[in-house]
Amino acid sequence: MSLSVIVLAAGKGTRMKSPLPKVLHLLAGEPLIIHVLETVFPLKPAQIAVVIGYKKERVKEILSSYAVEIAVQAEQLGTGHAVAITEQIFSNFEGDVLVLCGDTPLLRLDTIVSLVELHQRNNAVATVLTADFPEPRGYGRIVRDEMGMLAAIVEEKDASPAEKNIREINSGTYIFKKDFLFEALKQVKNDNAQGEYYLTDVIKIARTKGLPVAALKTNDFEEVLGVNSQFELARAEAIFQRRLREKFMANGVSFIFPDHVYIERQVKIAPGVVIYPFVSLRGKTFIEAEAIIESHCDLKDVRVLPGTRVKSGTILENAII
């Protein structure tokens, strides 16, 4: 099956209270949107379109070294509108389109693969990734019919009191049959509480026409957490750091006090390395086998050769030890 990708990255991120576009805020040393792109590259999509808007030149600059096509959403008229403006980009493409948010950096590749596989098995026109949230406020709710099948996605501002009590939420990650998606978007209206064109209305259109839709519920709600505030960014950072440390520990790296070590995404650490507290490993740092990094070290783009002991308080950049 041929697959293409749309990444929605046009929003300002008002609740971030920052002059930066939301998707350019850093997580483990890299912009949120880069995490999303790096997650989907292993799928080898036919095309990747990124929808940008707020401070578009700054976002374009970050994306300049990536093989993506840009669509500009001059006015933020909703997720449906954002996807609709990419139609021309995919005019020669036949297959399915994966839609992702540029502010969900914790999404796992394995989950996306499972979503694609479910979509294929059900021959669905639309498939959505969902999760059960302990505190679902702010997210669209998943409404299921008496058979447990996906019936609709209701945005919180349009939800009834009963619908607001639903804990299963829409992650904002979907896969659609391309032809169905862009035809359905032409039927979406903005008669809702926010006056926007909701991508979620495409699900309702599919159900009305009796077309097959599907939903995959992830068991790990953390991976679909969006970043909409500085608090949520810090929460995502904590989760991402924990994941990195767990991955390295599973491969034989020893952390004396794991919670007090900061690691960026491109860092490599070989088995047998010992890392003390209050260490920052940044950029493309590579710690080779059986090295010891003592406390209060800050290494950026540094290669530490096998068996080396880096003494406390070492601060280095672009070096080999």
Side-chain angles (χ1 to χ4, degrees), residues 151 187 201-211 213:
Q187 303 169 46
D201 283 354
V202 170
I203 303 294
K204 190 187 303 179
I205 291 168
R207 284 302 305 260
T208 301
K209 293 183 174 182
L211 298 172
V213 298

Side-chain angles (χ1 to χ4, degrees), residues 208-248:
T208 301
K209 293 183 174 182
L211 298 172
V213 298
L216 175 70
K217 186 191 292 187
T218 173
N219 294 322
D220 178 11
F221 77 89
E222 288 183 341
E223 71 174 315
V224 299
L225 289 170
V227 174
N228 294 294
S229 67
Q230 297 293 343
F231 171 80
E232 291 175 351
L233 179 61
R235 178 178 62 182
E237 183 74 67
I239 294 168
F240 196 84
Q241 290 295 318
R242 186 192 74 219
R243 283 185 184 179
L244 282 176
R245 293 190 299 262
E246 288 175 353
K247 178 190 77 172
F248 286 125

